Amino acid sequence: MDRAPAGGREGGDAGREPVSASVPTELLARLIGPLHRGRVTREDQEAIVDTMTALEGAAFHDLKYRLNATGDHHDLEHLVFDHLDEDLQDTLLEHIAAQASDQPASDLRVLCDIDDTVKSAIHDERFPRGTVYPGVVALLTELDRGATADPGRVGDLTFVTARPGGPLGLVEQYTRDDLSELGMPTHTVLGGSLLNLHTKNAIAERKLQNMERDHLLFPECRMVFIGDSGQADGDVGAEMAVRPHDHVVGTLLHDVTGLDAAARDAWAQRRVHVFDTYAGAAAHAVRLGLLSPEQGRTVAQAVQTELGALELAQEQSVRVAALLEADLATLESVSRG
């Protein structure tokens, strides 16, 4: 990739043209990747920004998603917010916004919490600690496949957590590897820092920051957030839903604290939809138009199969079975319209 500034940035060689338009985006992503590992010089930053802003339309969007699906913490968010100087960051974000305005999309960004959302971790007494919730992988897979114009496109699923990234992104990478072993679709991880773990408000602020960053990078897309009732995820989703960019379809909130009917109704008024099992989450997703009825039934089947493979205490088994029965009935009702 030509490192000279494209389009004659001040101080550069105005006679040299970017090669972006003539190079496949897959190759551009492979060329850009090594430039933002380790120390990123000003020259490297300019080369990255010039190359990206020389692209428009479908090619630019494709490059964004390829850079966001690197398989490690050197993703698009890391590039833009950690490695670019403020003026270059502004230049790239302005180009992203302009391209989104020219080509709005119905694609869905799927943002998902981890603890007590993917795995039982803190508050949930229905499952042993560390249990991967039956059907969660199926739901995230179907949302990723079913809500995009191109089901094969990478980079739609992002895990939003307050977990610290750690030195050199090692904790974030461990989290990513752990999730990949569960069979998750291609995904990225937006982490936090040790300072974010002290209070629920701090956790919420970090998640909000991560979600805002995701929106700045993908303003052309809609967003759904999946979290749990044990921390501040409901407030995070409700806050995002009322912000002026109006791209949040809703929040699916996993009940791990025993919310009553009044609390669930109150959350629903704020576009936060509470569920007990992932069959219930699928019912909300079908109602919101994020999944087809067939996809909802695929998730429900996964919940039943995976739940049957778990060894639960008698009290846990009876409780979860009753919740699942109710969610399956709701899913069928929603699917029939």
Side-chain angles (χ1 to χ4, degrees), residues 3 7 36 41 50 64-65 69 76 108 124 131 134 177 191 240 263 265 271 276 297 308:
R3 291 175 181 245
H36 71 106
T41 67
D50 288 335
K64 275 200 315 181
Y65 277 92
L76 186 63
L108 184 73
D124 198 346
T131 300
D177 292 345
M240 287 296 295
D265 288 342
R271 294 166 61 184
D276 293 300
R297 294 187 181 101

Side-chain angles (χ1 to χ4, degrees), residues 4 16 29 42 45 71 75 80-81 89 98 165-166 182 193 233 238 256 262 270 274 283 287 297 304 324-325 332:
R16 300 172 69 178
R42 177 72 183 192
Q45 293 179 50
D75 52 26
V80 174
F81 295 106
Q89 182 184 113
L182 302 180
S193 71
D233 291 343
V256 296
R270 302 176 69 189
V274 180
R287 181 174 55 80
R297 294 187 181 101
Q304 294 172 289
L324 177 57
E325 182 179 3
E332 279 307 306

Side-chain angles (χ1 to χ4, degrees), residues 120-308:
S120 176
I122 304 171
H123 301 280
D124 198 346
E125 298 179 354
R126 301 169 302 170
F127 296 91
R129 294 290 180 266
T131 300
V132 177
Y133 288 113
V136 63
V137 176
L139 178 80
L140 295 175
T141 299
E142 293 303 326
L143 285 172
D144 188 38
R145 289 174 177 170
T148 61
D150 176 5
R153 191 185 66 186
V154 296
D156 284 314
L157 174 60
T158 297
F159 290 95
V160 181
T161 176
R163 292 179 179 183
L168 302 178
L170 292 179
V171 176
E172 185 175 300
Q173 185 62 46
Y174 172 81
T175 300
R176 189 192 308 267
D177 292 345
D178 188 40
L179 292 166
S180 296
E181 290 176 0
L182 302 180
M184 292 291 181
T186 300
H187 58 271
T188 59
V189 176
L190 299 181
S193 71
L194 291 174
L195 296 177
N196 296 123
L197 299 179
H198 295 308
T199 67
K200 286 186 178 181
N201 285 340
I203 291 171
E205 283 301 318
R206 181 61 183 196
K207 287 182 179 179
L208 280 168
Q209 180 191 60
N210 282 338
M211 293 172 74
E212 283 287 1
R213 285 183 170 186
D214 191 87
H215 178 59
L216 287 171
L217 297 176
F218 301 97
E220 70 276 12
C221 298
R222 300 173 300 153
M223 178 189 294
V224 64
F225 177 44
I226 307 169
D228 66 87
S229 64
Q231 293 183 327
D233 291 343
D235 289 319
V236 169
E239 170 65 22
M240 287 296 295
V242 298
R243 294 194 174 185
H245 27 62
D246 192 31
H247 69 295
V248 177
V249 179
T251 293
L252 308 181
L253 193 70
H254 187 208
D255 183 12
V256 296
T257 56
L259 298 172
D260 61 22
R264 293 176 182 229
D265 288 342
W267 277 123
Q269 295 300 314
R270 302 176 69 189
R271 294 166 61 184
V272 176
H273 311 287
V274 180
F275 67 92
D276 293 300
T277 73
Y278 275 88
H284 285 307
V286 171
R287 181 174 55 80
L288 293 170
L290 304 179
L291 293 182
S292 68
E294 292 74 18
Q295 288 176 306
R297 294 187 181 101
T298 295
V299 175
Q301 182 60 57
V303 175
Q304 294 172 289
T305 300
E306 293 165 22
L307 181 60

